Amino acid sequence: MDASHPIHDSLHSQLRQLQALATQPADYATRQRWLAGLASMVTQHQQAWVDALQADFGCRSAVETRLAELFPSLEGIRLAQRKLRGWMRPQRRGVSFWFMPARARLQPQPLGVAGIIVPWNYPIFLALGPLTSALAAGNRAMVKMSELSPHSGALLQRLCRQYLGDDVVQVVNGGVEVAQAFAALPFDHLLFTGSTRVGRSVMQAAAANLTPVTLELGGKSPLLIAPGFDKRRVVGSLVAGKMLNAGQTCVAPDYVLVQRQECDALLAELRRQATLAYPDPAANPDYTAIISPQHYQRLVAWRDEATARGARVEALGGSSEAALHAARKLPLTVVQDAPDDCALMREEIFGPLLPIVCYDTLDDALAYIRARDRPLALYLYDDNRARIRQVLQGTVAGGVTVNDTLMHVVQDQLPFGGVGPSGMGHYHGYEGFVTFSKMLPVLYQSRLAGAVLTQPPHGKVVQLLLNLMLGRIR
Ligand code: NAD
């Protein structure tokens, strides 16, 4: 977008206001006040969040909003509140023998103003998570919400004004034009959560300002069942992880790798448990709808393409096609024998379609994963330690949960982020604090510094010293 465009001008003046305020670094008490404001936004407005998400999705399970948005947001804030003093404390670093008795410290410092771009699928968690890191690190922030979650965006804007104030956080709502102008602002750091495709343009826009980016992207996250692993232990968490938010979760298992002779047992268990978990998905208020008619059409088209190309497609659930369509819902749909080059097998699915890929040996399964983009998440079901090690060493992923789905994401003491096409950089917990800080290296020189001996003019002493320093003692 043209830098003199009115949207750009107005966003830029918002940024300048915050930049002027950011010249005064926020102390510990101020940051704790901000974190308390974030916590109140969550705890005191639970029903308002549930209602906003319901309005955005048409049907968004209230349990999911509280479990997968409010709870992890609050956990992240609580951890920051507990750990902040330690995070802010300068860290001691060693100096080598030659520089003793100087002292080295690493002093965290706010960067200034952070930009945060949020997708629609978990608008609260994916706004408040990065905000927690940015504010704990003492920054101001501007947040751009998705055009597909306008009710959540409006609520976040109102609550940020009320609990933090425009001098701390400014929330921006609007369409793609606004998003493009936002990404082109000269932030001190930009954290983008969204698709890999848009992530590329965001990084390009940020490059013009040399703004450092954290990219939280998507991709196809595999779920690998080791040979012989009990299917009943897999399927509860597979169904929960895939059907949460109707599969519209960046770390949802995208497809399943199972040994060929165990495929039927897996399918039988999937049929049983999917129906138990979400009976009558069309009318079930606990089963979330697909966010928009376009997203719904995309999923239906991918399913139909796979069917037309010879895949075996089976919808699990029990609602009629007409009722599902009217509710903009898709049941868990397993897809077998889909050709590798159909959209379902190439692109991130982001919905409740579940391809099953059969493998003959574990090495084949690992080769299948390695031949594709490095995923955001990898799920492995296995109890054999040596094999778990083999899988962890033989693959590269953003994060891993062994014997469950999604759970590594809500461990605030673990960093969260992708690798390669699934993202770069990390946030959550301490790593989030570091992402939004300048970790300033400071050396305090001593009066007794030996470095004086290396200052010019260079005589015999420096030669002797250099022989010692370079290990040539004669
Ligand atoms: P998206 O990339 O379409 O949009 C994300 C955000 O970027 C929105 O706020 C949108 O307004 C904005 N945007 C759109 N075009 C832009 C542009 N040209 N420049 C700057 N900003 C622009 O993604 P989405 O459909 O909202 O979300 C789904 C995707 O996000 C999936 O790929 C999913 O895997 C990924 N995701 C990743 C994570 C993670 O933490 N890694 C979490 C949730 C979703």
mmCIF file of all heavy atoms in Angstrom, residues 19 23 45 172 376 381:
data_model
loop_
_atom_site.group_PDB
_atom_site.id
_atom_site.type_symbol
_atom_site.label_atom_id
_atom_site.label_comp_id
_atom_site.label_asym_id
_atom_site.label_seq_id
_atom_site.Cartn_x
_atom_site.Cartn_y
_atom_site.Cartn_z
ATOM 1 N N GLN A 19 4.816 5.646 20.355
ATOM 2 C CA GLN A 19 6.289 5.705 20.376
ATOM 3 C C GLN A 19 6.769 6.828 21.289
ATOM 4 O O GLN A 19 7.751 6.674 22.013
ATOM 5 C CB GLN A 19 6.841 5.921 18.964
ATOM 6 C CG GLN A 19 6.945 4.617 18.190
ATOM 7 C CD GLN A 19 7.241 4.825 16.713
ATOM 8 O OE1 GLN A 19 6.900 5.874 16.141
ATOM 9 N NE2 GLN A 19 7.836 3.826 16.081
ATOM 10 N N THR A 23 9.121 6.263 25.176
ATOM 11 C CA THR A 23 10.463 6.731 25.544
ATOM 12 C C THR A 23 10.671 6.661 27.055
ATOM 13 O O THR A 23 11.783 6.682 27.534
ATOM 14 C CB THR A 23 10.707 8.178 25.057
ATOM 15 O OG1 THR A 23 9.629 8.972 25.534
ATOM 16 C CG2 THR A 23 10.773 8.256 23.548
ATOM 17 N N HIS A 45 -15.184 -10.665 32.258
ATOM 18 C CA HIS A 45 -16.048 -10.515 31.078
ATOM 19 C C HIS A 45 -16.217 -11.836 30.350
ATOM 20 O O HIS A 45 -16.322 -11.859 29.116
ATOM 21 C CB HIS A 45 -15.454 -9.448 30.148
ATOM 22 C CG HIS A 45 -15.384 -8.107 30.798
ATOM 23 N ND1 HIS A 45 -16.436 -7.220 30.824
ATOM 24 C CD2 HIS A 45 -14.403 -7.540 31.529
ATOM 25 C CE1 HIS A 45 -16.100 -6.147 31.519
ATOM 26 N NE2 HIS A 45 -14.871 -6.317 31.968
ATOM 27 N N VAL A 172 -6.874 -2.235 16.526
ATOM 28 C CA VAL A 172 -7.303 -1.779 15.206
ATOM 29 C C VAL A 172 -8.162 -2.874 14.583
ATOM 30 O O VAL A 172 -7.764 -4.041 14.579
ATOM 31 C CB VAL A 172 -6.060 -1.549 14.310
ATOM 32 C CG1 VAL A 172 -6.462 -1.147 12.912
ATOM 33 C CG2 VAL A 172 -5.130 -0.526 14.939
ATOM 34 N N LEU A 376 4.093 -27.440 12.143
ATOM 35 C CA LEU A 376 3.992 -26.644 13.373
ATOM 36 C C LEU A 376 3.956 -27.571 14.592
ATOM 37 O O LEU A 376 4.522 -27.261 15.627
ATOM 38 C CB LEU A 376 2.712 -25.801 13.308
ATOM 39 C CG LEU A 376 2.437 -24.873 14.479
ATOM 40 C CD1 LEU A 376 3.577 -23.877 14.680
ATOM 41 C CD2 LEU A 376 1.124 -24.117 14.275
ATOM 42 N N TYR A 381 2.200 -41.179 19.168
ATOM 43 C CA TYR A 381 1.637 -42.095 20.164
ATOM 44 C C TYR A 381 2.539 -43.304 20.245
ATOM 45 O O TYR A 381 2.631 -44.086 19.290
ATOM 46 C CB TYR A 381 0.193 -42.480 19.786
ATOM 47 C CG TYR A 381 -0.769 -41.341 20.019
ATOM 48 C CD1 TYR A 381 -0.869 -40.307 19.112
ATOM 49 C CD2 TYR A 381 -1.539 -41.287 21.185
ATOM 50 C CE1 TYR A 381 -1.723 -39.239 19.346
ATOM 51 C CE2 TYR A 381 -2.403 -40.221 21.418
ATOM 52 C CZ TYR A 381 -2.481 -39.205 20.505
ATOM 53 O OH TYR A 381 -3.313 -38.150 20.739
#
